[in-house]
Structures are given as C-alpha cells and as structure tokens.
Amino acid sequence: VYSIGEFSKITRLTVKTLRFYHEQGLITPSWVDEQTGYRYYDSSKIELARVVVRLRELEFPLADIAEILRQYDDEGDLLEYLERQRQFIEERLRHYRRIESTLDSILSQQREARSVMQQTTFEVVEKSLTPQLIAAIRMRGKYSECGKGFGRIARHFGRHLCGPPFLLHYDCEYKEEDADFEACMPIRQGKTVDGIDVRNLPGGPCVSLVHQGPYDDLGRSYAVILKYARDKGYEIEVPTREVYLKGPGMIFKGNPKKYLTEIQLMLRTS
Amino acid sequence: VYSIGEFSKITRLTVKTLRFYHEQGLITPSWVDEQTGYRYYDSSKIELARVVVRLRELEFPLADIAEILRQYDDEGDLLEYLERQRQFIEERLRHYRRIESTLDSILSQQREARSVMQQTTFEVVEKSLTPQLIAAIRMRGKYSECGKGFGRIARHFGRHLCGPPFLLHYDCEYKEEDADFEACMPIRQGKTVDGIDVRNLPGGPCVSLVHQGPYDDLGRSYAVILKYARDKGYEIEVPTREVYLKGPGMIFKGNPKKYLTEIQLMLRTS
DNA sequence: TTGCTCCTCACGTCACGTGAGGTGGC
DNA sequence: TTGCTCCTCACGTCACGTGAGGTGGC
C-alpha cells in the first residue's frame, strides 16, 4: 500500500493530479485515513492509473474516461469511442494544417520581400527571367479588381503557391476602366480548372526596376525604366509584368510607402 | 459610428467578445457614453478588428496580439512572432500526428481481431499464407520477454506497421528458459537497422487454428492442431508461427479469456 | 406596457497548477 | 525543534460563454 507521494512516483502523475482524479472519481484511493485524510493506494490501482494515463495521452476528456472505466475493460469494446476521438484528432490536424500553411505563405512572402529589399539598389537592372509555372486569371476592367483574382487563385492552389503575385499587362498604354490584364501566381504544380489557367510562362531577358511606394506612384518608375530602355535601343514586348513583392499583407494593410513592386519589361529577341 | 451590436455584425465578433477585448485593451471603443456605459465604435476600428481576427485565426495569444498592435503595423516586422508561432503550430501538429497514429494502430488491430472473431470456427483449417514484409528481432530466453521486442519494433516502424505481431518459434520442442524465437511485425516498408531485421517472410500452405483464452492454455490447442496434422500425414516445418490477434491491448490488459492467438504450422512442400 | 439593445457582475469551462496555512510522524 | 509529507481551501489559467438582474430609448 502506497502513500500518495509514492504512488505519484510510480504512476508519474503529480500529487495534485492524483488528488484531482480522486475528486473526479477517476482513481479513488484504496483507503483514506479518516483522522488525517491521508490517501493510500494499493498495487491494484497501478494498472487503473496506467489506463487513465493512456486514455489521457489520447486526449480523451476526463468525463469520457470515467464513462469508459465504468463500463469497459477491453479495447475491443471501445471502437466507437476510439473512432469518435480519431475524428476529433483529425479535425485538430486539419485545423492546424490550415494555420501552418497560412503562416508559411506569409513567412515566405515576407522573407522574399526582405531579401529583395537588401539586394536591390532601386535602379534599373538587366536580367534574365527563368520560365515558371503559373496559375492565371485573365481579367478586363479596373486594375484594382485584381485582388479578387489573386484571392481566387490563392484559395485554389493554397500550399502550391511559390512566389509573389504579379500582373501581366496586355495593353500598350495605361487604361483606367477597360484594362486587359491577367492576375498570376507562381505555383509548384496544378492543373487548369474553371477559369484559372495553369501554364508555363516563358522566361527571357528583361529590364527590371523595383519601385518603392504606393501604387499611385508607379508612373514615375515607369518613366525611368522606359527611358532606360529607349536609351539602350531595346524593343519591348507586351505583356509587361508587375510583381507585387510587398503590398497590403494578409494581416496588416501596411504602409503604402513600404510597398515594393517590380516592373519587368521583356525584351524582344529575334 | 456604430453601436456594439452593429459593430459585432460588421466584424463577426460576438458582443461578449467585443466587451472582453475592450477589457483587455485590444479593441477599445472610439467613445463610451458615461451615462449609459454604451460602447461606440467608428469605422477606423473595423480594420483594427480585422487584424485582431486574423491574428486570432493564427492562434496568437491575446497578450501577443496586444504587444503586436502596440508596436507594429507591418507584417515585415512580425517575422520573429510568426516564426515562433509556426514552431508552436508544428509542435501541435507533431503532437496530434502521434495521437492519430496510435489511435489508428489500436483501431486497425481491434477491427482485425473483431473480423477474425466473426469468421473463425475455432477449428483447424488449411490455408495458404501470402509472403509478407516483416521487421523482426531474433531473441533467446523466455517467451514472456517477447513484449520488449514488439515494443522496439513498434517504436521504430510506427505507422508502417500493418498487421498483428507474431512469434516465429525455431525450437522443435517447448522450452521454458532458453527458447529460440523471433518477434516479428508485418510492415509496409522499411529497412534493416540496429538489431531489427527487415526481410520478406515467404508464404505457403499451412494448417491453422485460432486459440481463444490465456497463453497458458495454448498447449491444448497445440495438441489439437498437431494431431490434425499427424492424422493427415503432413510434414511440418519450423519455424512455427504464433500470431497474437488479440492480446493485452495498448489501453487495457483485457481479459485473458478473450485473447485470440492463431497457431500456424507451415507444411513442407517438395 | 412591450420589445429591443445595452450594461455590469458573478460564475462556468477544462484539467489541472500555485500557494497559503496548517497537521502528523520521525 | 527541523524537515518531510500530507491535508484543505481559495484562486489562477485562457478566451471567452452563460445567465441573472437591471437600464434606456423608441
């Protein structure tokens, strides 16, 4: 027969927990001294404690455990309980997996933006883009509507996204109302589905300029990059690409003065 | 300017929650009527509420959210918070994945045992075993030590296990002290590692008998199956297999009278 | 007066943990 | 007396939810 402290060491349950389980009727001591209130457990309670510990490890609520102990002594009869608990655990897993993927996408976006911030000189550079798989929605109307497109793509491809969203501008001029553009996001894999086109976007040489500030200011940077291209005698191909390295975030809208947008003008090669 | 009820509809936070967030200093009303105590929120609080909701969806504790709101307004500055939260979420995922795999293995074992119970007639039958991949530990000593072997294998191969544990008996006679046997578990995949041998166990024709009751009674069933084999003139090959369809469970020890053990005697084919 | 919205205050949830203040036996 | 184990009782945790009892304005 063991005192509560000894029984605690045997079962690896704290004294506080044992007292609580007593109160809840889960593990009652074999004998309680009426004078001192001391609890005493005999060895038959060790197995009982093990069962409780195992069921707690499976995160069964105490009420369920009490019910199980009252009715069963064989796992074969617990199938319903076990299946219900499995459902519950799977729900938790789905829940946390969703959070994980949201956190991952925020983190990778922000890391990307941070590394661009450290590398860029905010001057026009010439570089070569590699081809990439994208999910895209062709749209017509106002540019400000593009968020809906990005939203649809993000919901659809979730964890397969692998880079910042960007727009392809098919117009040669700036249009306020009836612009022709395509909301795109790089993805690792996926297939074309209802209205979202998945295809390989070719790479090639381009001139690029990272613009810092609100979207309304983009015109200034377009002036700079277009002048650069003209001075160099480059021929530019539509669609023009506008990559939203850092914009309104998933948590904060953020400060528009910190927004980063890369303008990419593809060069004609022939 | 909105009353708490209107603001509740806008933000999809309950009135109770809004009052609580006020108390915690997370979302303070724009104005509180001193006479009535009524809370009033203006539209600038909507964005704030959205931020709080997003951070709560990521399961940040309220204390963290309060700190974040006090210091930041841009996701780029939250990298540390986000990474810490990611760690936390991953820990939760690992935790629940462990529970899931334990539940799965208990469930599949019990389902297997249940279906055997329904099908078997507790008579000797002749059948053909299919080859299977197993993880095995060769042991020498007492049979009762085999639990340790099963434990090691189960810990090592966890979710790759795909059937009940069994013993291979290499002795031709019953030995108490110095038995030569091998603790085995069927697995889906895996490789030989320190002391655990992974190999393909060949199949073939056998006579089989499901024994119900404590292990001490196995002798009775051995007598029955051996007599059957002798009457039929079959030649038996070692190792003999003893499959523990239902024994002491992961939760309950269970009632030994309900234990199910299948004896399989492999037949010589030549 | 009725119905609606709002208020505060106290208590509950879940499975314990913390800590104060005290007892009993060596 | 000191040190150890044990006790009970009250309160805390975390993010709210429930419910009682009451006010204010239409």
Side-chain angles (χ1 to χ4, degrees), chain A residues 3-5 19 37-39:
Chain A
S3 71
I4 197 171
R19 285 204 268 260
Y38 278 32
R39 294 165 176 85

Side-chain angles (χ1 to χ4, degrees), chain A:
Chain A
V1 67
Y2 307 103
S3 71
I4 197 171
E6 293 162 340
F7 196 64
S8 160
K9 277 172 197 152
I10 293 169
T11 58
R12 291 161 173 269
L13 291 166
T14 68
V15 169
K16 293 282 180 183
T17 300
L18 285 170
R19 285 204 268 260
F20 181 66
Y21 286 173
H22 179 194
E23 192 191 320
Q24 300 295 308
L26 276 180
I27 306 177
T28 47
S30 314
W31 174 61
V32 178
D33 187 318
E34 292 195 8
Q35 297 298 311
T36 64
Y38 278 32
R39 294 165 176 85
Y40 294 99
Y41 300 82
D42 65 35
S43 48
S44 75
K45 298 291 181 177
I46 296 177
E47 185 52 32
L48 174 62
R50 283 221 179 96
V51 173
V52 173
V53 167
R54 304 246 170 74
L55 291 170
R56 279 300 298 146
E57 281 169 355
L58 297 175
E59 302 232 314
F60 277 97
L62 293 190
D64 282 16
I65 298 180
E67 218 176 294
I68 290 172
L69 292 177
R70 242 179 287 127
Q71 302 183 51
Y72 308 110
D73 67 341
D74 190 303
E75 267 147 272
D77 302 324
L78 296 185
L79 279 181
E80 279 176 44
Y81 280 94
L82 294 166
E83 265 166 57
R84 224 183 306 148
Q85 189 64 5
R86 208 187 98 114
Q87 302 263 350
F88 171 75
I89 298 294
E90 309 259 288
E91 192 283 318
R92 291 283 78 192
L93 278 170
R94 280 194 295 275
H95 175 78
Y96 283 117
R97 274 198 270 261
R98 285 201 58 177
I99 295 180
E100 183 198 26
S101 87
T102 307
L103 279 171
D104 276 353
S105 68
I106 296 177
L107 274 167
S108 67
Q109 275 210 27
Q110 295 303 321
R111 288 212 191 91
E112 171 89 11
R114 182 168 282 198
S115 91
V116 168
M117 262 303 263
Q118 281 166 358
Q119 286 171 23
T120 189
T121 56
F122 296 104
E123 286 167 358
V124 178
V125 294
E126 301 187 22
K127 61 183 186 180
S128 179
L129 300 181
T130 51
Q132 55 186 341
L133 188 69
I134 61 167
I137 300 178
R138 189 77 173 249
M139 303 173 81
R140 200 167 263 283
K142 293 189 199 169
Y143 291 133
S144 53
E145 299 287 290
C146 67
K148 293 179 187 169
F150 294 135
R152 272 190 62 198
I153 297 173
R155 270 192 302 282
H156 230 280
F157 291 92
R159 67 189 186 289
H160 295 307
L161 302 172
C162 60
F166 61 94
L167 275 195
L168 295 178
H169 293 277
Y170 289 94
D171 300 311
C172 298
E173 56 192 319
Y174 177 75
K175 284 186 176 176
E176 192 68 55
E177 291 294 331
D178 188 39
D180 178 8
F181 59 97
E182 199 168 20
C184 310
M185 297 186 82
I187 59 174
R188 256 185 282 278
Q189 52 170 297
K191 283 188 176 177
T192 295
V193 274
D194 48 76
I196 307 182
D197 181 35
V198 170
R199 68 173 191 274
N200 210 40
L201 185 69
C206 76
V207 288
S208 147
L209 174 59
V210 175
H211 167 88
Q212 182 168 215
Y215 299 132
D216 287 346
D217 274 12
L218 269 171
R220 281 215 324 265
S221 290
Y222 268 105
V224 171
I225 195 172
L226 286 168
K227 178 171 187 317
Y228 177 97
R230 190 169 338 111
D231 288 353
K232 289 274 186 170
Y234 292 145
E235 274 193 83
I236 286 159
E237 275 193 334
V238 287
T240 296
R241 303 183 188 183
E242 226 168 64
V243 185
Y244 303 109
L245 298 170
K246 183 178 167 77
M250 298 211 225
I251 298 168
F252 289 115
K253 266 191 186 170
N255 187 341
K257 287 185 183 168
K258 291 185 182 171
Y259 290 178
L260 296 175
T261 312
E262 181 180 0
I263 302 167
Q264 295 171 340
L265 304 180
M266 303 306 289
L267 304 185
R268 178 159 302 161
T269 55
S270 55

Side-chain angles (χ1 to χ4, degrees), chain B residues 54-67:
Chain B
R54 303 242 171 78
L55 291 170
R56 279 301 296 145
E57 282 169 354
L58 298 174
E59 302 233 314
F60 277 98
L62 293 190
D64 282 16
I65 297 181
E67 218 177 294

Side-chain angles (χ1 to χ4, degrees), chain B residues 92-224:
Chain B
R92 292 281 78 193
L93 278 170
R94 279 193 296 274
H95 175 78
Y96 283 116
R97 275 197 271 261
R98 285 199 58 175
I99 296 179
E100 184 198 25
S101 86
T102 305
L103 279 171
D104 277 353
S105 67
I106 296 177
L107 275 167
S108 66
Q109 275 210 28
Q110 295 303 320
R111 288 211 191 91
E112 172 88 11
R114 182 168 283 198
S115 91
V116 168
M117 263 303 264
Q118 281 166 359
Q119 286 172 23
T120 189
T121 56
F122 297 103
E123 286 167 359
V124 178
V125 294
E126 301 188 21
K127 62 183 187 180
S128 180
L129 300 180
T130 52
Q132 54 186 340
L133 188 68
I134 61 166
I137 300 177
R138 188 78 173 251
M139 304 174 79
R140 199 167 263 282
K142 294 187 199 171
Y143 291 133
S144 53
E145 299 287 289
C146 67
K148 294 180 187 170
F150 294 135
R152 273 191 60 197
I153 297 174
R155 271 193 300 282
H156 228 280
F157 292 92
R159 67 189 186 290
H160 294 307
L161 301 172
C162 62
F166 60 94
L167 275 195
L168 295 178
H169 293 277
Y170 289 94
D171 300 310
C172 297
E173 56 192 318
Y174 177 74
K175 284 188 178 176
E176 191 70 52
E177 290 296 330
D178 188 39
D180 179 8
F181 59 96
E182 198 168 20
C184 310
M185 297 187 82
I187 58 173
R188 257 185 282 279
Q189 51 170 297
K191 283 188 176 178
T192 295
V193 273
D194 47 76
I196 307 183
D197 180 37
V198 171
R199 68 173 190 274
N200 210 42
L201 186 70
C206 75
V207 288
S208 146
L209 174 59
V210 175
H211 168 88
Q212 184 169 214
Y215 300 132
D216 287 344
D217 274 13
L218 270 171
R220 282 215 324 264
S221 290
Y222 268 105
V224 171

